Amino acid sequence: MAQNGTTENGVPPNPAALHLPQPCRVSEIKHTKLFINNEWQSSVNGKTFPTFNPATGEKICDVEEADKADVDKAVEAAKAAINRGSPWRRMDVSSRGRLLHRLAELLERDRIVLATMESMDSGKPFLQSFFIDLDGSIKTLRYYAGWADKIHGKTLPVDDNFMCFTKHEPVGVCGAIIPWNFPLLMFVWKIAPALCCGNTVVIKPAEQTPLTALHVGALIKEAGFPPGVVNIVPGFGPTAGAAIASHMGIDKVAFTGSTEVGQLIKEAAAKSNLKRVTLELGGKNPCIVFADSDLQLAVQEAQKGAFYNQGQCCTAASRVFVEESVYDEFVRLSVESAKKIVAGDPMDPQTSHGPQIDQQQFEKILELVESGKKEGAKLECGGCSVQDKGLFIQPTIFSDVKDHMRLAKEEIFGPVQCILKFKSQEEVIERANSTHYGLAAAVFTRSVERAVSVSSALEAGTVWVNCYNALHAQAPFGGYKMSGNGRELGEYALAEYTEVKTVTIKLNEQLTV
Protein backbone atom coordinates (compact mmCIF):
# COMPACT_ATOMS: atom_id res chain seq x y z
CA MET A 1 0.00 0.00 0.00
CA ALA A 2 2.15 2.81 -1.30
CA GLN A 3 1.44 5.81 0.88
CA ASN A 4 2.62 9.14 -0.52
CA GLY A 5 4.88 7.54 -3.11
CA THR A 6 6.71 5.27 -0.69
CA THR A 7 8.32 2.28 -2.37
CA GLU A 8 5.69 -0.44 -2.60
CA ASN A 9 7.37 -3.45 -1.04
CA GLY A 10 8.71 -1.53 1.91
CA VAL A 11 12.32 -1.42 0.74
CA PRO A 12 13.92 1.72 -0.74
CA PRO A 13 14.92 1.55 -4.45
CA ASN A 14 18.57 0.96 -3.60
CA PRO A 15 18.71 -0.60 -0.11
CA ALA A 16 22.43 -1.23 -0.37
CA ALA A 17 22.99 2.53 -0.49
CA LEU A 18 21.10 3.10 2.76
CA HIS A 19 21.50 1.98 6.32
CA LEU A 20 18.32 -0.04 6.75
CA PRO A 21 16.52 0.30 10.09
CA GLN A 22 16.60 -2.67 12.41
CA PRO A 23 13.78 -3.90 14.65
CA CYS A 24 14.29 -3.29 18.35
CA ARG A 25 13.94 -5.77 21.17
CA VAL A 26 10.51 -5.49 22.80
CA SER A 27 10.83 -7.52 25.97
CA GLU A 28 7.71 -6.18 27.65
CA ILE A 29 4.51 -4.60 26.36
CA LYS A 30 3.83 -1.57 28.57
CA HIS A 31 0.27 -0.75 27.56
CA THR A 32 -2.30 -3.52 27.72
CA LYS A 33 -5.21 -1.80 29.49
CA LEU A 34 -8.12 0.22 28.13
CA PHE A 35 -7.33 3.88 27.45
CA ILE A 36 -10.29 5.94 28.68
CA ASN A 37 -10.22 9.62 29.67
CA ASN A 38 -6.39 9.65 29.37
CA GLU A 39 -6.16 6.89 32.00
CA TRP A 40 -5.22 3.22 31.79
CA GLN A 41 -8.14 1.24 33.12
CA SER A 42 -8.98 -2.41 33.69
CA SER A 43 -12.13 -3.73 32.03
CA VAL A 44 -15.33 -3.64 34.08
CA ASN A 45 -15.79 -7.41 33.78
CA GLY A 46 -12.16 -8.14 34.59
CA LYS A 47 -11.67 -10.17 31.39
CA THR A 48 -8.54 -10.24 29.25
CA PHE A 49 -7.69 -11.85 25.93
CA PRO A 50 -4.36 -12.97 24.47
CA THR A 51 -2.68 -11.54 21.39
CA PHE A 52 -0.31 -13.77 19.41
CA ASN A 53 2.65 -13.40 17.08
CA PRO A 54 1.36 -15.06 13.86
CA ALA A 55 4.91 -15.74 12.66
CA THR A 56 5.75 -17.91 15.67
CA GLY A 57 2.41 -18.76 17.26
CA GLU A 58 3.71 -17.49 20.60
CA LYS A 59 1.57 -15.40 22.91
CA ILE A 60 2.82 -11.83 23.18
CA CYS A 61 0.70 -10.72 26.13
CA ASP A 62 -2.83 -10.46 27.54
CA VAL A 63 -4.91 -7.35 26.86
CA GLU A 64 -7.89 -6.03 28.80
CA GLU A 65 -11.14 -6.93 27.03
CA ALA A 66 -13.70 -4.15 26.66
CA ASP A 67 -17.41 -4.83 26.38
CA LYS A 68 -20.58 -2.69 26.54
CA ALA A 69 -19.94 -1.35 30.04
CA ASP A 70 -16.47 -0.15 29.03
CA VAL A 71 -17.81 1.42 25.83
CA ASP A 72 -20.37 3.26 27.98
CA LYS A 73 -17.53 4.67 30.11
CA ALA A 74 -15.56 5.68 27.00
CA VAL A 75 -18.58 7.41 25.46
CA GLU A 76 -19.24 9.27 28.71
CA ALA A 77 -15.64 10.53 28.69
CA ALA A 78 -15.85 11.49 25.00
CA LYS A 79 -19.12 13.38 25.52
CA ALA A 80 -17.67 15.28 28.49
CA ALA A 81 -14.63 16.19 26.41
CA ILE A 82 -16.73 17.80 23.66
CA ASN A 83 -19.27 19.56 25.87
CA ARG A 84 -19.48 23.32 25.55
CA GLY A 85 -16.93 24.95 27.80
CA SER A 86 -14.57 21.95 27.80
CA PRO A 87 -10.86 22.50 27.08
CA TRP A 88 -11.16 20.65 23.75
CA ARG A 89 -14.26 22.59 22.67
CA ARG A 90 -12.68 25.93 23.63
CA MET A 91 -9.32 25.14 22.03
CA ASP A 92 -8.58 27.30 19.01
CA VAL A 93 -8.25 25.54 15.68
CA SER A 94 -4.55 26.20 15.18
CA SER A 95 -3.84 24.59 18.56
CA ARG A 96 -5.70 21.46 17.39
CA GLY A 97 -3.38 21.40 14.40
CA ARG A 98 -0.33 21.76 16.64
CA LEU A 99 -1.45 18.78 18.73
CA LEU A 100 -1.75 16.63 15.60
CA HIS A 101 1.70 17.76 14.49
CA ARG A 102 3.05 16.90 17.95
CA LEU A 103 1.50 13.43 17.73
CA ALA A 104 3.18 12.95 14.35
CA GLU A 105 6.51 13.94 15.93
CA LEU A 106 6.03 11.34 18.67
CA LEU A 107 5.28 8.64 16.07
CA GLU A 108 8.54 9.65 14.37
CA ARG A 109 10.38 9.35 17.68
CA ASP A 110 8.90 5.88 18.39
CA ARG A 111 8.97 4.72 14.78
CA ILE A 112 11.26 1.74 15.35
CA VAL A 113 9.29 0.55 18.39
CA LEU A 114 5.95 0.92 16.63
CA ALA A 115 7.16 -0.83 13.47
CA THR A 116 8.54 -3.69 15.57
CA MET A 117 5.29 -4.05 17.53
CA GLU A 118 3.25 -3.90 14.32
CA SER A 119 5.27 -6.74 12.81
CA MET A 120 5.13 -8.79 16.02
CA ASP A 121 1.35 -8.43 16.28
CA SER A 122 0.35 -8.71 12.58
CA GLY A 123 3.18 -10.71 11.01
CA LYS A 124 3.94 -8.20 8.28
CA PRO A 125 7.62 -7.73 7.36
CA PHE A 126 9.34 -5.14 9.54
CA LEU A 127 10.62 -3.03 6.64
CA GLN A 128 7.10 -2.77 5.26
CA SER A 129 5.83 -1.68 8.68
CA PHE A 130 8.61 0.91 8.94
CA PHE A 131 8.59 2.33 5.42
CA ILE A 132 4.89 2.03 4.56
CA ASP A 133 2.65 1.83 7.63
CA LEU A 134 4.59 4.26 9.81
CA ASP A 135 5.35 6.60 6.94
CA GLY A 136 1.71 6.69 5.89
CA SER A 137 0.53 7.22 9.47
CA ILE A 138 2.86 10.13 10.08
CA LYS A 139 2.04 11.82 6.78
CA THR A 140 -1.69 11.42 7.37
CA LEU A 141 -1.42 13.10 10.77
CA ARG A 142 0.59 15.96 9.28
CA TYR A 143 -1.85 16.35 6.39
CA TYR A 144 -4.86 16.75 8.70
CA ALA A 145 -2.89 18.92 11.11
CA GLY A 146 -2.63 21.34 8.20
CA TRP A 147 -6.39 21.28 7.63
CA ALA A 148 -7.39 22.16 11.21
CA ASP A 149 -7.55 25.95 10.59
CA LYS A 150 -8.83 25.77 7.02
CA ILE A 151 -12.30 24.25 7.50
CA HIS A 152 -14.84 26.97 6.85
CA GLY A 153 -18.27 27.66 5.44
CA LYS A 154 -19.58 30.04 2.81
CA THR A 155 -21.44 33.31 2.58
CA LEU A 156 -24.53 32.77 0.43
CA PRO A 157 -26.43 35.30 -1.69
CA VAL A 158 -30.13 34.76 -0.92
CA ASP A 159 -33.33 36.52 -1.91
CA ASP A 160 -34.77 39.51 -0.04
CA ASN A 161 -33.10 41.35 2.82
CA PHE A 162 -31.21 38.54 4.54
CA MET A 163 -27.62 37.66 5.25
CA CYS A 164 -26.94 33.92 5.03
CA PHE A 165 -23.80 31.94 5.82
CA THR A 166 -22.80 28.37 6.69
CA LYS A 167 -20.57 26.99 9.44
CA HIS A 168 -18.90 23.58 9.69
CA GLU A 169 -19.18 22.14 13.18
CA PRO A 170 -18.00 18.84 14.72
CA VAL A 171 -20.38 15.88 14.44
CA GLY A 172 -19.71 15.00 18.10
CA VAL A 173 -18.61 11.64 19.47
CA CYS A 174 -17.26 9.45 16.65
CA GLY A 175 -17.01 5.69 17.01
CA ALA A 176 -14.45 3.79 14.97
CA ILE A 177 -13.92 0.07 14.41
CA ILE A 178 -10.74 -0.88 12.60
CA PRO A 179 -9.30 -4.08 11.04
CA TRP A 180 -6.20 -6.16 11.68
CA ASN A 181 -4.47 -5.88 8.29
CA PHE A 182 -3.18 -2.30 8.74
CA PRO A 183 -3.69 -1.70 12.47
CA LEU A 184 -1.78 1.55 12.98
CA LEU A 185 -2.51 3.05 9.58
CA MET A 186 -6.26 2.46 9.97
CA PHE A 187 -6.12 3.90 13.50
CA VAL A 188 -4.66 7.12 12.12
CA TRP A 189 -6.97 7.21 9.09
CA LYS A 190 -9.86 7.30 11.57
CA ILE A 191 -8.65 9.62 14.31
CA ALA A 192 -6.79 12.24 12.20
CA PRO A 193 -9.75 13.72 10.27
CA ALA A 194 -12.06 13.31 13.28
CA LEU A 195 -9.75 15.28 15.59
CA CYS A 196 -8.90 17.80 12.90
CA CYS A 197 -12.62 18.71 12.75
CA GLY A 198 -12.92 18.96 16.55
CA ASN A 199 -14.68 15.67 17.31
CA THR A 200 -13.91 13.16 20.06
CA VAL A 201 -13.30 9.47 19.39
CA VAL A 202 -14.06 6.04 20.82
CA ILE A 203 -12.08 3.51 18.79
CA LYS A 204 -11.94 -0.28 18.89
CA PRO A 205 -8.81 -1.88 17.41
CA ALA A 206 -9.09 -5.42 16.08
CA GLU A 207 -8.73 -8.11 18.73
CA GLN A 208 -5.90 -9.72 16.71
CA THR A 209 -3.78 -6.53 16.65
CA PRO A 210 -4.41 -4.09 19.54
CA LEU A 211 -0.84 -3.27 20.55
CA THR A 212 0.16 -0.30 18.37
CA ALA A 213 -3.17 1.44 18.99
CA LEU A 214 -2.61 1.21 22.75
CA HIS A 215 0.97 2.48 22.42
CA VAL A 216 -0.32 5.48 20.48
CA GLY A 217 -2.78 6.08 23.33
CA ALA A 218 0.21 6.87 25.52
CA LEU A 219 1.54 9.20 22.82
CA ILE A 220 -1.83 10.98 22.57
CA LYS A 221 -1.65 11.75 26.28
CA GLU A 222 2.01 12.79 26.00
CA ALA A 223 1.18 15.10 23.08
CA GLY A 224 -1.22 17.02 25.31
CA PHE A 225 -4.67 16.04 24.05
CA PRO A 226 -7.23 16.72 26.81
CA PRO A 227 -8.78 13.74 28.66
CA GLY A 228 -11.59 12.01 26.83
CA VAL A 229 -10.69 13.24 23.33
CA VAL A 230 -9.45 9.79 22.25
CA ASN A 231 -10.56 6.59 24.00
CA ILE A 232 -9.27 3.14 22.98
CA VAL A 233 -11.32 0.04 23.82
CA PRO A 234 -9.79 -3.22 22.54
CA GLY A 235 -12.28 -6.05 22.39
CA PHE A 236 -14.38 -8.24 20.13
CA GLY A 237 -16.83 -7.31 17.41
CA PRO A 238 -20.00 -8.91 18.84
CA THR A 239 -19.49 -7.13 22.18
CA ALA A 240 -17.43 -3.91 22.04
CA GLY A 241 -17.96 -3.38 18.30
CA ALA A 242 -21.71 -3.93 18.53
CA ALA A 243 -21.90 -1.56 21.51
CA ILE A 244 -20.25 1.20 19.48
CA ALA A 245 -22.49 0.66 16.44
CA SER A 246 -25.71 0.78 18.48
CA HIS A 247 -24.75 3.34 21.13
CA MET A 248 -27.19 6.21 21.53
CA GLY A 249 -24.38 8.52 22.65
CA ILE A 250 -22.26 8.04 19.54
CA ASP A 251 -23.07 10.42 16.68
CA LYS A 252 -21.10 8.79 13.88
CA VAL A 253 -19.38 5.45 13.31
CA ALA A 254 -16.60 4.64 10.84
CA PHE A 255 -15.80 1.02 10.02
CA THR A 256 -13.21 -0.72 7.90
CA GLY A 257 -13.66 -4.46 7.40
CA SER A 258 -15.85 -7.03 5.70
CA THR A 259 -19.03 -6.21 3.79
CA GLU A 260 -21.01 -8.62 5.95
CA VAL A 261 -20.05 -6.84 9.18
CA GLY A 262 -20.52 -3.47 7.49
CA GLN A 263 -24.15 -4.37 6.83
CA LEU A 264 -24.65 -5.25 10.51
CA ILE A 265 -23.13 -1.94 11.60
CA LYS A 266 -25.34 0.06 9.25
CA GLU A 267 -28.39 -1.80 10.53
CA ALA A 268 -27.43 -1.16 14.17
CA ALA A 269 -26.80 2.51 13.45
CA ALA A 270 -30.22 2.84 11.81
CA LYS A 271 -32.05 1.05 14.60
CA SER A 272 -30.40 3.14 17.34
CA ASN A 273 -30.07 6.88 16.73
CA LEU A 274 -29.62 7.03 12.93
CA LYS A 275 -25.98 7.87 13.50
CA ARG A 276 -23.86 8.71 10.48
CA VAL A 277 -21.99 5.76 8.99
CA THR A 278 -18.94 5.56 6.77
CA LEU A 279 -17.89 2.13 5.58
CA GLU A 280 -14.73 0.98 3.80
CA LEU A 281 -15.44 -2.64 2.94
CA GLY A 282 -14.31 -5.50 0.74
CA GLY A 283 -13.28 -5.59 -2.89
CA LYS A 284 -12.83 -7.96 -5.81
CA ASN A 285 -10.63 -5.60 -7.70
CA PRO A 286 -10.01 -5.90 -11.46
CA CYS A 287 -6.54 -5.25 -12.81
CA ILE A 288 -6.66 -4.92 -16.61
CA VAL A 289 -3.52 -5.45 -18.69
CA PHE A 290 -3.74 -4.44 -22.35
CA ALA A 291 -1.37 -5.79 -24.98
CA ASP A 292 0.19 -2.36 -25.55
CA SER A 293 1.31 -2.03 -21.91
CA ASP A 294 4.82 -2.29 -20.50
CA LEU A 295 4.40 -5.97 -19.67
CA GLN A 296 7.23 -6.22 -17.17
CA LEU A 297 5.85 -3.22 -15.27
CA ALA A 298 2.36 -4.70 -15.36
CA VAL A 299 3.65 -7.99 -13.92
CA GLN A 300 5.49 -6.23 -11.09
CA GLU A 301 2.61 -3.95 -10.15
CA ALA A 302 -0.07 -6.66 -10.42
CA GLN A 303 1.97 -8.88 -8.10
CA LYS A 304 2.34 -6.07 -5.60
CA GLY A 305 -1.42 -5.80 -5.76
CA ALA A 306 -1.88 -9.54 -5.26
CA PHE A 307 0.83 -10.40 -2.73
CA TYR A 308 1.53 -7.25 -0.71
CA ASN A 309 0.78 -7.81 2.99
CA GLN A 310 0.32 -11.52 2.16
CA GLY A 311 -2.72 -10.59 0.04
CA GLN A 312 -4.51 -9.29 3.13
CA CYS A 313 -5.67 -6.05 1.52
CA CYS A 314 -9.15 -4.84 0.60
CA THR A 315 -7.52 -3.42 -2.54
CA ALA A 316 -5.90 -6.74 -3.54
CA ALA A 317 -5.59 -7.32 -7.29
CA SER A 318 -7.25 -10.72 -7.17
CA ARG A 319 -8.74 -10.56 -10.70
CA VAL A 320 -6.04 -9.85 -13.29
CA PHE A 321 -7.50 -9.59 -16.80
CA VAL A 322 -4.84 -9.94 -19.50
CA GLU A 323 -5.38 -9.38 -23.22
CA GLU A 324 -5.27 -12.63 -25.17
CA SER A 325 -2.22 -11.86 -27.35
CA VAL A 326 0.10 -11.35 -24.33
CA TYR A 327 -1.62 -13.71 -21.89
CA ASP A 328 0.86 -16.61 -21.99
CA GLU A 329 3.87 -14.30 -21.64
CA PHE A 330 2.25 -12.47 -18.73
CA VAL A 331 1.61 -15.77 -16.94
CA ARG A 332 5.17 -16.92 -17.55
CA LEU A 333 6.69 -13.70 -16.21
CA SER A 334 4.33 -13.71 -13.23
CA VAL A 335 5.29 -17.23 -12.18
CA GLU A 336 8.96 -16.39 -12.60
CA SER A 337 8.54 -13.34 -10.36
CA ALA A 338 6.42 -15.08 -7.71
CA LYS A 339 9.04 -17.78 -7.21
CA LYS A 340 11.56 -15.12 -6.18
CA ILE A 341 9.43 -13.86 -3.26
CA VAL A 342 11.12 -14.59 0.08
CA ALA A 343 8.86 -15.91 2.85
CA GLY A 344 10.20 -16.06 6.37
CA ASP A 345 10.88 -14.22 9.61
CA PRO A 346 9.18 -10.80 9.39
CA MET A 347 12.10 -9.24 11.28
CA ASP A 348 14.61 -10.37 8.61
CA PRO A 349 15.31 -7.56 6.08
CA GLN A 350 15.37 -10.13 3.27
CA THR A 351 11.79 -11.20 3.99
CA SER A 352 9.04 -9.75 1.82
CA HIS A 353 6.30 -12.29 2.64
CA GLY A 354 5.05 -13.01 6.15
CA PRO A 355 2.36 -15.26 7.66
CA GLN A 356 -1.41 -14.94 7.47
CA ILE A 357 -2.96 -13.33 10.53
CA ASP A 358 -4.48 -16.44 12.16
CA GLN A 359 -5.57 -20.03 11.68
CA GLN A 360 -9.07 -19.08 10.54
CA GLN A 361 -7.79 -16.94 7.67
CA PHE A 362 -5.14 -19.53 6.82
CA GLU A 363 -7.73 -22.28 6.45
CA LYS A 364 -10.16 -20.07 4.51
CA ILE A 365 -7.48 -19.20 1.94
CA LEU A 366 -6.40 -22.82 1.43
CA GLU A 367 -10.05 -23.86 1.07
CA LEU A 368 -10.49 -21.32 -1.73
CA VAL A 369 -7.29 -22.58 -3.36
CA GLU A 370 -8.74 -26.11 -3.34
CA SER A 371 -11.95 -24.79 -4.90
CA GLY A 372 -9.90 -23.36 -7.76
CA LYS A 373 -8.31 -26.72 -8.44
CA LYS A 374 -11.69 -28.49 -8.37
CA GLU A 375 -13.35 -25.94 -10.66
CA GLY A 376 -10.68 -26.32 -13.34
CA ALA A 377 -8.31 -23.39 -12.90
CA LYS A 378 -4.66 -24.20 -13.60
CA LEU A 379 -2.36 -23.94 -10.59
CA GLU A 380 0.85 -22.40 -11.90
CA CYS A 381 2.76 -22.13 -8.61
CA GLY A 382 2.26 -22.18 -4.85
CA GLY A 383 -1.09 -23.43 -3.64
CA CYS A 384 0.01 -24.77 -0.27
CA SER A 385 1.54 -23.77 3.03
CA VAL A 386 5.24 -23.13 3.43
CA GLN A 387 6.62 -26.31 4.96
CA ASP A 388 7.24 -26.17 8.72
CA LYS A 389 6.27 -22.49 8.91
CA GLY A 390 2.91 -22.36 10.63
CA LEU A 391 0.61 -19.80 9.04
CA PHE A 392 2.74 -19.07 5.96
CA ILE A 393 1.17 -19.70 2.53
CA GLN A 394 3.22 -19.72 -0.65
CA PRO A 395 2.48 -16.96 -3.19
CA THR A 396 -0.02 -18.71 -5.45
CA ILE A 397 -0.93 -18.13 -9.11
CA PHE A 398 -3.85 -19.59 -11.04
CA SER A 399 -4.28 -19.24 -14.80
CA ASP A 400 -7.30 -20.21 -16.92
CA VAL A 401 -9.56 -18.73 -14.27
CA LYS A 402 -13.18 -18.25 -15.38
CA ASP A 403 -15.65 -15.65 -14.14
CA HIS A 404 -18.00 -18.22 -12.57
CA MET A 405 -15.32 -19.72 -10.31
CA ARG A 406 -15.24 -18.90 -6.60
CA LEU A 407 -11.69 -17.61 -7.02
CA ALA A 408 -13.02 -14.93 -9.37
CA LYS A 409 -16.05 -14.02 -7.26
CA GLU A 410 -15.12 -14.20 -3.57
CA GLU A 411 -12.72 -11.97 -1.68
CA ILE A 412 -9.76 -14.27 -0.92
CA PHE A 413 -7.76 -12.00 1.41
CA GLY A 414 -4.67 -14.11 0.87
CA PRO A 415 -1.65 -14.42 -1.47
CA VAL A 416 -3.55 -15.76 -4.49
CA GLN A 417 -3.33 -14.18 -7.95
CA CYS A 418 -6.04 -15.15 -10.45
CA ILE A 419 -5.21 -14.45 -14.10
CA LEU A 420 -8.08 -14.28 -16.60
CA LYS A 421 -8.04 -13.81 -20.39
CA PHE A 422 -9.96 -11.22 -22.46
CA LYS A 423 -10.29 -10.32 -26.14
CA SER A 424 -11.75 -6.81 -26.37
CA GLN A 425 -12.00 -3.58 -24.37
CA GLU A 426 -15.80 -3.69 -24.28
CA GLU A 427 -15.75 -7.27 -23.02
CA VAL A 428 -13.28 -6.67 -20.22
CA ILE A 429 -15.09 -3.57 -18.94
CA GLU A 430 -18.34 -5.51 -18.69
CA ARG A 431 -16.64 -8.41 -16.89
CA ALA A 432 -14.67 -6.13 -14.58
CA ASN A 433 -17.86 -4.39 -13.48
CA SER A 434 -19.78 -7.64 -13.05
CA THR A 435 -19.39 -7.75 -9.26
CA HIS A 436 -21.15 -6.47 -6.15
CA TYR A 437 -17.92 -4.72 -5.17
CA GLY A 438 -16.42 -1.47 -6.46
CA LEU A 439 -13.45 -0.50 -4.33
CA ALA A 440 -10.48 -0.25 -6.68
CA ALA A 441 -9.27 -1.13 -10.17
CA ALA A 442 -6.18 -0.75 -12.31
CA VAL A 443 -5.44 -0.28 -16.02
CA PHE A 444 -2.13 -0.94 -17.75
CA THR A 445 -1.72 0.62 -21.19
CA ARG A 446 0.53 3.04 -23.09
CA SER A 447 -2.52 4.75 -24.62
CA VAL A 448 -3.69 7.87 -22.78
CA GLU A 449 -7.02 7.73 -24.63
CA ARG A 450 -7.61 4.14 -23.52
CA ALA A 451 -6.52 4.90 -19.95
CA VAL A 452 -9.04 7.73 -19.70
CA SER A 453 -11.92 5.89 -21.37
CA VAL A 454 -11.47 2.65 -19.41
CA SER A 455 -10.96 4.38 -16.05
CA SER A 456 -14.16 6.35 -16.72
CA ALA A 457 -16.09 3.14 -17.47
CA LEU A 458 -14.93 1.18 -14.42
CA GLU A 459 -17.30 1.18 -11.44
CA ALA A 460 -14.74 1.71 -8.70
CA GLY A 461 -13.89 4.42 -6.21
CA THR A 462 -10.20 4.39 -7.15
CA VAL A 463 -8.63 3.57 -10.51
CA TRP A 464 -4.85 3.30 -10.87
CA VAL A 465 -3.21 3.66 -14.28
CA ASN A 466 0.17 1.91 -14.77
CA CYS A 467 0.56 1.51 -11.00
CA TYR A 468 -1.10 -0.26 -8.09
CA ASN A 469 -1.86 0.55 -4.45
CA ALA A 470 -0.77 4.17 -4.92
CA LEU A 471 -2.57 5.69 -1.92
CA HIS A 472 -1.91 9.20 -0.66
CA ALA A 473 -3.15 11.18 2.33
CA GLN A 474 -4.27 13.92 -0.05
CA ALA A 475 -6.44 11.67 -2.26
CA PRO A 476 -9.88 10.34 -1.22
CA PHE A 477 -10.35 6.59 -0.84
CA GLY A 478 -13.59 4.62 -0.72
CA GLY A 479 -15.83 2.34 -2.72
CA TYR A 480 -18.81 2.07 -5.01
CA LYS A 481 -21.63 -0.43 -4.52
CA MET A 482 -21.07 -2.94 -1.68
CA SER A 483 -17.50 -1.75 -1.11
CA GLY A 484 -18.81 0.95 1.17
CA ASN A 485 -20.15 4.45 1.75
CA GLY A 486 -18.29 7.73 2.12
CA ARG A 487 -14.64 8.58 1.67
CA GLU A 488 -11.52 8.52 3.79
CA LEU A 489 -8.43 10.69 3.28
CA GLY A 490 -8.12 13.96 1.42
CA GLU A 491 -10.36 16.99 1.79
CA TYR A 492 -13.38 14.79 1.03
CA ALA A 493 -13.05 13.03 4.40
CA LEU A 494 -13.68 16.29 6.24
CA ALA A 495 -17.32 16.23 5.13
CA GLU A 496 -17.76 12.91 6.94
CA TYR A 497 -16.75 14.50 10.27
CA THR A 498 -18.58 17.84 10.16
CA GLU A 499 -22.16 19.07 10.31
CA VAL A 500 -23.08 22.03 8.11
CA LYS A 501 -25.12 24.70 9.91
CA THR A 502 -26.94 27.44 7.99
CA VAL A 503 -27.34 30.79 9.76
CA THR A 504 -29.79 33.31 8.25
CA ILE A 505 -30.09 36.85 9.64
CA LYS A 506 -33.00 39.15 8.82
CA LEU A 507 -31.74 42.62 7.97
CA ASN A 508 -33.69 45.86 8.49
CA GLU A 509 -32.98 49.54 8.70
CA GLN A 510 -31.28 49.16 12.07
CA LEU A 511 -29.22 46.12 10.94
CA THR A 512 -27.81 46.45 7.42
CA VAL A 513 -24.81 45.38 5.44
Side-chain angles (χ1 to χ4, degrees):
M1 189 172 286
Q3 279 264 340
N4 299 346
T6 307
T7 304
E8 176 65 40
N9 67 355
V11 182
N14 183 11
L18 295 175
H19 174 69
L20 291 178
Q22 298 293 319
C24 63
R25 178 176 173 80
V26 179
S27 56
E28 181 184 2
I29 303 297
K30 294 180 181 178
H31 305 295
T32 61
K33 292 188 174 184
L34 314 183
F35 184 72
I36 298 174
N37 211 34
N38 275 11
E39 297 175 350
W40 297 105
Q41 302 185 15
S42 299
S43 60
V44 171
N45 62 19
K47 290 183 180 179
T48 62
F49 65 91
T51 184
F52 295 92
N53 182 333
T56 64
E58 296 173 357
K59 186 173 87 169
I60 301 171
C61 64
D62 289 309
V63 174
E64 293 289 326
E65 180 187 335
D67 63 13
K68 184 180 182 303
D70 303 291
V71 171
D72 288 342
K73 289 174 64 179
V75 172
E76 184 180 348
K79 286 178 73 70
I82 203 171
N83 280 345
R84 280 175 172 70
S86 69
W88 180 244
R89 193 67 176 257
R90 288 187 290 106
M91 184 179 294
D92 59 66
V93 290
S94 57
S95 294
R96 285 209 304 261
R98 283 195 293 272
L99 284 179
L100 287 167
H101 273 302
R102 176 58 179 151
L103 184 57
E105 291 168 3
L106 293 174
L107 261 68
E108 286 270 22
R109 184 196 70 189
D110 287 5
R111 188 167 179 165
I112 292 283
V113 175
L114 283 164
T116 302
M117 290 173 64
E118 194 81 325
S119 294
M120 285 171 57
D121 214 14
S122 72
K124 64 179 62 189
F126 169 78
L127 290 181
Q128 292 180 6
S129 294
F130 185 90
F131 283 111
I132 305 240
D133 297 55
L134 266 296
D135 192 66
S137 299
I138 292 162
K139 287 181 176 178
T140 300
L141 284 169
R142 294 204 184 284
Y143 174 78
Y144 283 109
W147 265 111
D149 60 358
K150 300 171 186 67
I151 302 167
H152 55 78
K154 299 178 180 180
T155 302
L156 307 172
V158 296
D159 294 343
D160 300 322
N161 198 26
F162 294 94
M163 182 174 72
C164 186
F165 61 90
T166 60
K167 297 173 64 181
H168 290 215
E169 298 183 344
V171 171
V173 178
C174 297
I177 303 169
I178 58 175
W180 46 259
N181 56 340
F182 292 92
L184 179 59
L185 195 60
M186 293 298 102
F187 182 90
V188 172
W189 279 24
K190 296 294 186 287
I191 69 164
L195 300 180
C196 160
C197 295
N199 299 283
T200 57
V201 179
V202 175
I203 186 165
K204 187 195 89 67
E207 62 269 21
Q208 296 92 338
T209 53
L211 299 185
T212 48
L214 292 171
H215 186 95
V216 174
L219 303 186
I220 285 168
K221 183 175 181 178
E222 183 180 348
F225 284 88
V229 172
V230 178
N231 305 274
I232 306 167
V233 285
F236 293 84
T239 49
I244 288 172
S246 62
H247 205 289
M248 296 296 290
I250 290 179
D251 304 293
K252 179 250 166 69
V253 64
F255 170 74
T256 297
S258 72
T259 296
E260 294 75 18
V261 175
Q263 290 174 309
L264 294 174
I265 286 171
K266 199 163 189 178
E267 180 182 9
K271 287 182 175 179
S272 52
N273 59 346
L274 281 176
K275 61 176 63 65
R276 284 191 184 202
V277 179
T278 53
L279 303 171
E280 195 267 280
L281 307 175
K284 194 64 184 172
N285 310 293
C287 177
I288 303 172
V289 180
F290 287 96
D292 70 338
S293 67
D294 178 336
L295 205 61
Q296 190 65 56
L297 172 70
V299 167
Q300 292 171 0
E301 293 295 319
Q303 290 215 331
K304 291 171 186 175
F307 299 141
Y308 179 69
N309 203 37
Q310 297 73 250
Q312 298 172 140
C313 301
C314 54
T315 59
S318 59
R319 289 189 299 155
V320 182
F321 294 93
V322 181
E323 196 164 1
E324 190 173 40
S325 61
V326 295
Y327 183 85
D328 290 342
E329 179 66 3
F330 184 92
V331 171
R332 185 188 69 80
L333 291 172
S334 296
V335 172
E336 187 179 282
S337 177
K339 289 181 177 178
K340 296 177 183 176
I341 294 172
V342 179
D345 180 3
M347 301 300 174
D348 187 331
Q350 300 303 314
T351 296
S352 58
H353 189 81
Q356 309 310 130
I357 187 67
D358 59 23
Q359 189 69 32
Q360 182 180 355
Q361 286 295 123
F362 178 83
E363 291 175 0
K364 175 195 168 189
I365 295 161
L366 291 180
E367 192 269 327
L368 279 167
V369 167
E370 288 304 311
S371 79
K373 297 176 186 177
K374 290 176 183 176
E375 290 184 313
K378 182 180 179 183
L379 180 63
E380 297 283 351
C381 67
C384 59
S385 61
V386 177
Q387 194 172 15
D388 300 325
K389 289 200 174 180
L391 299 176
F392 290 77
I393 295 177
Q394 294 176 353
T396 299
I397 295 178
F398 280 97
S399 64
D400 296 337
V401 178
K402 308 301 180 187
D403 292 346
H404 70 273
M405 296 178 180
R406 289 180 61 196
L407 286 175
K409 294 168 68 175
E410 298 181 27
E411 189 176 29
I412 302 170
F413 231 65
V416 181
Q417 184 179 39
C418 305
I419 308 178
L420 304 88
K421 189 182 297 184
F422 74 91
K423 293 182 178 180
S424 71
Q425 180 172 312
E426 294 75 17
E427 170 209 336
V428 75
I429 289 171
E430 182 178 352
R431 292 169 64 192
N433 288 336
S434 183
T435 173
H436 295 303
Y437 297 112
L439 186 60
V443 181
F444 289 86
T445 177
R446 286 190 170 98
S447 166
V448 174
E449 181 181 355
R450 174 176 281 153
V452 172
S453 63
V454 175
S455 62
S456 297
L458 290 170
E459 297 168 356
T462 294
V463 180
W464 294 297
V465 177
N466 295 331
C467 59
Y468 208 92
N469 273 341
L471 296 171
H472 302 86
Q474 301 87 346
F477 179 71
Y480 286 20
K481 300 187 281 190
M482 291 184 76
S483 287
N485 308 136
R487 292 294 180 268
E488 298 192 292
L489 303 180
E491 182 180 359
Y492 289 84
L494 300 176
E496 311 290 353
Y497 290 94
T498 54
E499 293 284 8
V500 178
K501 176 179 286 184
T502 303
V503 179
T504 304
I505 302 173
K506 173 68 174 175
L507 302 178
N508 52 40
E509 292 180 0
Q510 286 76 40
L511 187 62
T512 61
V513 291

